[in-house]
Amino acid sequence: MDTLVRLRRGPHTPPAPRRLAVPDGMTVPLGCDAVAVPAHFGPLVLPRLPRVGCVYADGTHWWWIVPSDSDYALEWPAPAHYATGALVPDSARTPVLIHRPDDTVPYTPPIPLYLTLCRLTGTTPTWSRPISA
């Protein structure tokens, strides 16, 4: 009964999304967005990229920092999730940095990341799809 008394009725406001924090000393001249993939894809993606920027993990997803507007004219393949402003929806765990590049730029190049995800998910890249009249 005590538990029921402590429950409040009324509108439940979900917590605000958190922004992935770029490590100190890094610059973001092109802004910051992020691409999330389910955690089981992370180890498959990592070795296929020519350059890996900052990568975060929260147990269920890996988050790759990309320049802002890396979704322009691209339809990121499911189950990837594109997060404008590198805002992470509320989750049980806060993503932690699991990879940091040696230089001062946090970005993973978006086109190799996109192509890798397309290959792993069996999705045809946007520019290779037939155009309907």
Side-chain angles (χ1 to χ4, degrees), residues 4 9 19 43 51 58 69 86 89 109 127:
L4 292 175
R9 290 187 180 215
R19 186 176 313 275
R51 180 189 192 283
D58 65 6
D69 299 324
W127 56 77

Side-chain angles (χ1 to χ4, degrees), residues 5 12 19 24 27 40 43 46 55 66 75 81 86 120 123 133:
V5 171
H12 173 68
R19 186 176 313 275
D24 289 338
T27 61
H40 69 274
L46 198 61
V55 182
V66 294
E75 188 178 315
H81 169 73
L120 290 173
T123 304

Side-chain angles (χ1 to χ4, degrees), residues 1-9:
M1 184 67 160
D2 288 338
T3 303
L4 292 175
V5 171
R6 285 188 298 245
L7 293 176
R8 291 187 297 164
R9 290 187 180 215

Side-chain angles (χ1 to χ4, degrees), residues 81-128:
H81 169 73
Y82 191 86
T84 302
L87 293 174
V88 177
D90 184 46
S91 64
R93 295 186 198 161
T94 300
V96 295
L97 184 66
I98 61 170
H99 182 271
R100 178 186 173 144
D102 293 331
D103 57 16
T104 62
V105 181
Y107 307 125
T108 294
I111 298 301
L113 178 60
Y114 172 79
L115 290 172
T116 298
L117 291 173
C118 284
R119 182 169 197 140
L120 290 173
T121 60
T123 304
T124 303
T126 303
W127 56 77
S128 296

Side-chain angles (χ1 to χ4, degrees), residues 20-23 26 33-39 41-43 45-47 49 51-58 61-66 95-101 105-109 113:
L20 292 173
V22 175
M26 298 203 117
D33 288 346
V35 176
V37 300
F41 278 112
V45 172
L46 198 61
L49 296 173
R51 180 189 192 283
V52 178
C54 289
V55 182
Y56 299 80
D58 65 6
H61 291 89
W62 282 27
W63 298 84
W64 308 80
I65 297 293
V66 294
V96 295
L97 184 66
I98 61 170
H99 182 271
R100 178 186 173 144
V105 181
Y107 307 125
T108 294
L113 178 60

